[in-house]
Amino acid sequence: SHIYKKNHDVTKTWKGKTEQLLRVDDHDFTMRPAFGGPAIPVGVDVQVESLDSISEVDMDFTMTLYLRHYWKDERLSFPSTTNKSMTFDGRLVKKIWVPDVFFVHSKRSFIHDTTTDNIMLRVFPDGHVLYSMRITVTAMCNMDFSRFPLDSQTCSLELESYAYTDEDLMLYWKNGNESLKTDEKISLSQFLIQKFHTTSRLAFYSSTGWYNRLYINFTLRRHIFFFLLQTYFPATLMVMLSWVSFWIDRRAVPARVSLGITTVLTMSTIITGVNASMPRVSYIKAVDIYLWVSFVFVFLSVLEYAAVNYLTTVQERKERKLRERFPCTCGIPHSKSMMLDGNYSESDANSLAGYTRNQMVPEEEKQEKMVVHLAMSNESHSSRKRGLKGHVGLRIIQNSHAIDKYSRLIFPGTYIFFNLIYWSVFS
């Protein structure tokens, strides 16, 4: 038979041994250790479990971490032959002195309490104490969105004693920069975590004095691909779509007006959607520059057609007055002269057969109207048909205003130049 050796259970043989061993009831733990003497050093280390969320609208972040304090309280020392520590839960914390560390600029924080309070207290025979808590804290982060969404943000979680100045309590990072550990699985949907590091400095309050303050700093860089798909690409496509109107016949008023208004409204929707998810800052963001410049390009394409339509109307009015003043057809019988705006049939073209190009040159109608000059004496029916199709293919180009022709080059060239400058400055 096997003989099992059981460990000695002190709770059965010596009732209350733990409290008598720590002598909790023999001391006044409302005062700090070594009260009246030099400042008690309290070392701190942190293990970040998760970085839960980053909110641009509220300008804050939420972090879950293990916060550990190290100090020495000789009032808790106890004799031990094995030099082993004793571990307790949160019930003993209420009976002894612990550092009153709080989170500066925190909005909400709590200690996890499932299934019990996530607090651990470990006491060593020489009086050294390890105090650990699992905390979730939401703290303020002052963000600069001047380069949004091509920005990087640096946030800090600040720890400080609330009651004890640097003359009573000295907070410090226990192992320097190695005091901060992070879980390798930490990731965020919109940000890339570049680095974590620690710093410390003194904070001064005019009414109470100087306090030691510890900082957990982390730098985040925003992922740009989401905004490329949701903001930049749609805005660029809307600008390019507005350029299509430069190739549409200037007399197709419904087509060009509806295209211009549609692109303007779509750009307005994109701008509104981006600003709805951002705080109402008083400065210009990088995405605002791109969207508003794109909006200006779309709006200018609408104004461009307004100018083309107006100038075309003025020019036609002048030509009408010239025709009324000089009704001469310059040697062409009135029944055989034909002014076409791009709509004609083959029978109309056949009615002009027998007249050469030199017989039909009305000077006042060369610039904008298309005068069909056909010399069709002995040509076959098929050759006449091919000639007419060639003139139909040139109708759009010949009916384009000079402003449209220049806009086809100026608008794309200027927009490409703007993109080169924008991405070189903000990327």
Side-chain angles (χ1 to χ4, degrees), residues 150-165:
L150 305 167
D151 58 333
S152 296
Q153 303 294 342
T154 299
C155 300
S156 298
L157 184 63
E158 306 172 13
L159 295 85
E160 182 182 306
S161 172
Y162 191 84
Y164 298 101
T165 64

Side-chain angles (χ1 to χ4, degrees), residues 67 157 240 333 413:
L67 177 62
L157 184 63
M240 296 174 65

